Amino acid sequence: MADVVIIRVENVDAGYDGVAILERINFEIRRGEVFGILGGSGCGKSTLMKHMIGLNPPIGGSIFIDGDDIVTASDEQLERIQRRFGVMYQSGALFGSMTLLENVRLPLEVYTDLPDDAIDLVARMKLELVGLEAFTGHMPSALSGGMQKRAGIARAMALDPSILFLDEPSSGLDPITAASLDATIRRLAENLGVTFVI
């Protein structure tokens, strides 16, 4: 399975309003790989990721997720493709008025027909995977930045995606907390076979 290409970016020109920030981008990501997009501040990393998850169409080129081109997909097809992956934005994007458990439950409540007790169990399991099982009732504001990022990963994993996109997961964290988060990502990739794009 490790040799299976799950994401392929072909000749992508990334940018906004017809102005390219990145040109002729080509790469492949294999199933189960932890793939890093590196570069200085403002060079287009987040822009490229927004194109890869279908938030913004690229100026040119193709982006294949598990064989499906998200650039030419209809809105309905794109929504179906997007259900295959989870996203954690740079800020973690947790709802401040909800506990960690409620934050992780939300995608399950919206996108599944699971009964309430099953949703609760799955959400607790996702928080346990990132080492936050003891913090289910805490509000995001009561947690450290690293814990908020891990909770964001738990929520991104709620629907068991095969791919997780993490936008600068360790930004703003001290070196020890960042290393701990990196170790969590490596462990999840190895144990669950999830593909990470960071």
Side-chain angles (χ1 to χ4, degrees):
M1 292 296 282
D3 288 337
V4 175
V5 173
I6 194 166
I7 300 172
R8 191 167 74 250
V9 173
E10 290 184 351
N11 298 317
V12 165
D13 292 337
Y16 302 98
D17 299 323
V19 178
I21 297 170
L22 302 168
E23 296 179 313
R24 312 293 289 177
I25 303 296
N26 290 280
F27 58 85
E28 294 179 340
I29 303 173
R30 299 192 181 329
R31 190 177 304 279
E33 185 174 6
V34 177
F35 185 89
I37 300 170
L38 303 175
S41 180
C43 74
K45 301 181 301 294
S46 294
T47 297
L48 178 59
M49 187 172 284
K50 285 177 185 173
H51 291 328
M52 291 174 70
I53 63 176
L55 282 183
N56 296 47
I59 296 166
S62 300
I63 300 168
F64 296 92
I65 305 283
D66 223 1
D68 294 316
D69 188 352
I70 66 168
V71 177
T72 59
S74 67
D75 290 345
E76 184 180 304
Q77 291 169 325
L78 180 59
E79 186 177 329
R80 205 166 41 248
I81 295 165
Q82 288 171 326
R83 294 241 179 118
R84 296 182 210 159
F85 56 78
V87 180
M88 188 206 76
Y89 297 98
Q90 186 172 346
S91 64
L94 298 172
F95 292 101
S97 61
M98 302 169 78
T99 66
L100 289 196
L101 186 64
E102 291 167 338
N103 266 282
V104 178
R105 283 175 53 96
L106 188 61
L108 295 159
E109 292 169 351
V110 173
Y111 294 109
T112 74
D113 295 323
L114 291 171
D116 202 50
D117 57 341
I119 289 175
D120 208 55
L121 177 64
V122 171
R124 288 178 186 281
M125 289 171 59
K126 299 306 180 185
L127 285 165
E128 185 177 352
L129 282 171
V130 297
L132 293 175
E133 61 275 13
F135 299 91
T136 58
H138 286 65
M139 304 302 274
S141 60
L143 303 175
S144 70
M147 293 168 86
Q148 290 180 27
K149 299 278 180 124
R150 285 190 280 148
I153 293 172
R155 188 175 62 192
M157 292 190 310
L159 298 173
D160 292 325
S162 56
I163 305 166
L164 280 174
F165 290 91
L166 310 181
D167 189 10
E168 299 196 32
S170 57
S171 74
L173 302 180
D174 63 84
I176 294 172
T177 305
S180 173
L181 186 63
D182 290 345
T184 298
I185 292 167
R186 278 194 307 273
R187 181 175 46 78
L188 292 170
E190 290 167 7
N191 294 344
L192 302 178
V194 175
T195 304
F196 281 87
V197 181
I198 302 172

